[in-house]
Structure formats: structure tokens, C-alpha cells
Amino acid sequence: MREFTVPVERLVEHFRKLPGIGIKSAQRLAFHILNMPREEAQDFADAILSARETVTRCKICQNLTDRDECVLCSDPARDHSLICVVSDPRDVAAIERTREYNGVYHVLHGVLSPLAHIGPDDLTVRELTLRVGHGDIRELIMATNPDTEGEATAVYLSRLLKPLGVKITRLAYGIPVGGHLEFADEITLSRALDGRQLMD
Amino acid sequence: MREFTVPVERLVEHFRKLPGIGIKSAQRLAFHILNMPREEAQDFADAILSARETVTRCKICQNLTDRDECVLCSDPARDHSLICVVSDPRDVAAIERTREYNGVYHVLHGVLSPLAHIGPDDLTVRELTLRVGHGDIRELIMATNPDTEGEATAVYLSRLLKPLGVKITRLAYGIPVGGHLEFADEITLSRALDGRQLMD
């Protein structure tokens, strides 16, 4: 049954197709648009088009950018021999927020997932292999998520790229800073024990 | 700090301004747009513009419509002497879903709220008064939400319009069907007691 006038229903349907948006939220969002100043709705529509049209992948690290090479890859102050491999552009943003890392990145745009039929060809594995093969890469830091698929992806890449003679490391597992031992799950705890370090 | 490329940040900002969307959701939505087929992004942008441009208020009941008179007001099969007064177009949709109501509506587009500086002039009170004054209206059903502001709005309208000689009723309060007494709040329970009805 159609509950609202056609243009409203159409907008609700679009919002509803977005991840994490149910029917009630979709309606609330659509009504919000209807009550927006006209210029703001215009600018929103334009932002959608412009993002979809102008955003592309950096030809080096595959991160999202609106130019040929992203700001990080074209920054001479970064260490281009150190590559941090992540699954998602948001992971780049998370690591940049630490202000601790001065290398560059490689964005896989996903993880290997046999169940979802996502294989190496669906990720930017070929681009990474070419980078390691051609450039003076000193170290690859695997920074995929510490879950089954992220782990499997890191292991796969490590086996694929080690023969090219590059050092491969991965982020440390452990208790989150500020976390409580009693609330840590067993796997995290046992990884934290395995990875224990000398105190100095 | 800018975390993503400009067009992405701009889109994230737009999503973030929508009600109930935090920064993480806004990023997830923006990334979803980036991965959409181009035509779908185009159609989404177009849906926003088209909703904002073509949706207007029915000149009779003030509900949202893309024509002069909404489908309900222009339906000769409905009882146009019975008006259900609601605060929001979503309430019209909710009542229509019951398939029990055959009258028409009046959408206030809000409720009186002194704290938010919303007075009768910010709602469609004038339009309702004119409808009652001009037409052969038999009954007004107040169906604002059963909260303080909805209640105050119903009382205000009732006092304003009764002198025009129209019958004014309001939706029954009570225990929701399928609800449990033990979980009903005291106010609902006492309203349910007040409104108790003879069993037949």
C-alpha cells in the first residue's frame, strides 16, 4: 500500500535501501528533506552526485581521492617504503588520527570472504603485489581487522608477498588501553599473553 | 581534521545533519553512496530534488501531496463531513493502515509548544477554522499524540472550534491491544479505568 504521495515514497525507498536504515528512519529522513530549505536539499543532491562522480581511487594506494594520487601518496614527508595494509578507507582515517604513523597505506577495499564469494581479484591484491614488486618497499604492516576474515586475509597476503623479499608484520593484539581484564574475551586475553613484552 | 577527500567529507557532513545520524553512520552512508551504481546515485539525488520541489500541501487537508488536492480529499467515496485532526502526515498513514476510517483528515504539521515557540500561527489552525466555518462538518476527531503537547493542542482546538457548533471527539485512551497490564504506566491505566465501557 502506498502511504504517502509518490515523490515522498520514492525518497523513502531510497533512504530505506541505505545500510542500517529501517522504514521508520527512512520516513523520518525523507520528511526532514521535505522541510529543508530548498538550497540545502539542492546542495545535498549535488553532494551525492559529486561524490559519486569525482571520487576515485588513488592510483598508488587505492584509497579514495578526488585526484590522481592521494594527499598521502603525494606527500614527500611520508615514508614511502613502509606500507600499512588496511581493508577500508575508514581504517586509514583511524590510523591517521593516532598521528603516530608516518608511512603510507594500501587499501584493499574488503577482505577475503569465501562465503560472500570475495576472492583476491575482488580486492586490490594485484595492485599491492605490483607495488611490492616494483618499489623499494621495506615493510608491510598488516592492519586488517582482528576477526576471522581479516586474519585470513593477512595470512593470505603474507604468504603471497613474503617470496618477494619484503618484511611483513602485523598490528599487536592485546588488551585495549583503558580496558578491564575481566571484560576482555578469552581470545583477546590469550593473544595478550602470547604477545607479552619485557617491561623496561 | 579532514579525514577523507573533500567530496566525501562534504557528503558525510550532509548525512550527519540528518536527524538521528551520528558521525559513524554518516560515514557508512557516504561510503555506501560511493559504491552505488552511478544510475542509482543519480536517481537518489533526483529523488531528493523532486521531493523537495514537487511535494506541497493539499489545499484542503494540508497533508503532503504532489497535486492541488490530495487523493483522500478528492475521493468522493470518503465522508467529507468527518475530519480527523492529526499533527503529522505519518499519523494519516497510521490511521489509513487500520482500514477502519472513512472520513478525511486535517494535518496540523506540529503541535502547540510554548517552549519551542510554536504557536497556532505555526500550525494549520487557520485553515482548519476556515474548513469548519465554511463546510458541512459533522464531527472533528482529535487524534494528536497522547502526550502533554498533543493533549494541550487538542484542548486548545476544541475550545476554539466548539463555538462554531461542531461536534468534537477524541481518540480513546487505554491499554494497547496485546499489551500487558503490568507493563502499562499509571497514567494509561487510570485513563483506561476512566474510559471503561459496558461489555455486551
Side-chain angles (χ1 to χ4, degrees):
Chain A
M1 199 182 93
R2 200 160 64 66
E3 300 202 331
F4 304 107
T5 182
V6 174
V8 178
E9 286 287 344
R10 183 181 160 210
L11 187 54
V12 169
E13 272 315 300
H14 271 288
F15 275 118
R16 203 180 171 176
K17 277 190 256 169
L18 298 178
I21 305 287
I23 177 71
K24 289 291 173 193
S25 301
Q27 289 177 358
R28 195 175 61 234
L29 297 175
F31 280 91
H32 185 84
I33 298 279
L34 293 174
N35 291 316
M36 260 182 190
R38 182 158 302 194
E39 319 78 68
E40 201 180 327
Q42 174 75 57
D43 196 58
F44 188 11
D46 191 58
I48 288 174
L49 287 179
S50 140
R52 186 63 192 73
E53 297 295 323
T54 67
V55 176
T56 173
R57 291 180 181 183
C58 167
K59 67 176 184 183
I60 299 177
C61 75
Q62 310 297 320
N63 196 1
L64 299 173
T65 177
D66 58 350
R67 47 180 108 177
D68 225 30
E69 276 184 28
C70 75
V71 281
L72 297 175
C73 283
S74 49
D75 182 351
R78 310 281 301 206
D79 179 353
H80 294 265
S81 71
L82 179 61
I83 299 180
C84 182
V85 179
V86 296
S87 66
D88 192 283
R90 278 163 285 189
D91 301 329
V92 173
I95 294 173
E96 283 299 291
R97 277 196 296 269
T98 67
R99 296 163 189 265
E100 291 283 337
Y101 180 67
N102 194 38
V104 291
Y105 295 90
H106 192 87
V107 180
L108 295 169
H109 291 283
V111 283
L112 296 177
S113 172
L115 286 175
H117 303 288
I118 297 174
D121 291 347
D122 301 308
L123 310 179
T124 61
V125 172
R126 199 174 139 271
E127 289 83 352
L128 179 60
T129 313
L130 289 172
R131 273 178 95 178
V132 174
H134 283 126
D136 296 321
I137 309 299
R138 181 165 54 85
E139 179 178 346
L140 287 185
I141 304 172
M142 295 295 157
T144 49
N145 282 321
D147 54 18
T148 318
E149 294 178 341
E151 190 69 354
T153 306
V155 170
Y156 168 85
L157 290 175
S158 167
R159 289 190 187 148
L160 180 75
L161 301 170
K162 232 178 220 152
L164 300 178
V166 66
K167 177 179 170 191
I168 299 183
T169 58
R170 69 153 301 144
L171 290 188
Y173 286 118
I175 310 294
V177 176
H180 288 271
L181 275 192
E182 56 175 326
F183 299 129
D185 63 287
E186 309 88 275
I187 301 173
T188 301
L189 257 183
S190 78
R191 295 298 188 102
L193 278 169
D194 289 349
R196 65 189 180 278
Q197 300 186 346
L198 267 179
M199 296 182 67
D200 49 11
Chain B
M1 199 180 92
R2 202 160 62 68
E3 300 202 330
F4 304 107
T5 180
V6 174
V8 177
E9 286 287 345
R10 180 178 162 212
L11 187 55
V12 169
E13 271 314 300
H14 271 288
F15 275 118
R16 203 179 172 176
K17 276 189 258 170
L18 298 178
I21 306 286
I23 177 71
K24 289 291 174 193
S25 303
Q27 289 178 357
R28 194 173 64 235
L29 297 175
F31 279 91
H32 185 83
I33 300 279
L34 293 175
N35 291 315
M36 260 183 189
R38 183 158 302 193
E39 319 78 68
E40 201 180 325
Q42 174 75 58
D43 196 60
F44 187 11
D46 191 57
I48 288 174
L49 287 179
S50 142
R52 187 60 191 77
E53 295 296 321
T54 68
V55 176
T56 171
R57 291 181 180 183
C58 166
K59 68 175 184 183
I60 299 177
C61 75
Q62 309 297 320
N63 196 1
L64 299 173
T65 178
D66 57 351
R67 47 181 106 180
D68 225 30
E69 277 184 28
C70 74
V71 282
L72 298 175
C73 284
S74 50
D75 181 352
R78 309 281 303 205
D79 179 352
H80 294 264
S81 71
L82 179 61
I83 299 180
C84 181
V85 180
V86 296
S87 66
D88 192 284
R90 279 163 285 190
D91 300 329
V92 174
I95 294 173
E96 283 299 290
R97 277 197 295 270
T98 67
R99 296 162 189 267
E100 291 283 337
Y101 180 68
N102 194 39
V104 291
Y105 295 89
H106 192 86
V107 180
L108 296 169
H109 291 283
V111 283
L112 296 176
S113 172
L115 285 176
H117 303 288
I118 298 173
D121 290 346
D122 301 307
L123 310 179
T124 61
V125 171
R126 200 175 138 269
E127 290 83 351
L128 179 61
T129 313
L130 289 173
R131 273 178 94 178
V132 174
H134 284 124
D136 296 323
I137 308 300
R138 183 165 52 86
E139 181 178 346
L140 286 185
I141 304 172
M142 294 295 157
T144 48
N145 282 322
D147 54 19
T148 318
E149 293 178 340
E151 190 69 352
T153 306
V155 170
Y156 168 85
L157 289 175
S158 167
R159 287 189 189 150
L160 180 74
L161 300 170
K162 232 178 221 156
L164 301 178
V166 66
K167 178 181 170 189
I168 300 183
T169 58
R170 68 154 302 146
L171 290 188
Y173 286 118
I175 309 295
V177 177
H180 288 271
L181 275 192
E182 58 177 325
F183 299 129
D185 63 286
E186 309 87 275
I187 300 172
T188 301
L189 257 183
S190 78
R191 294 299 188 102
L193 278 169
D194 287 349
R196 64 190 181 277
Q197 300 188 343
L198 266 179
M199 296 181 69
D200 48 11

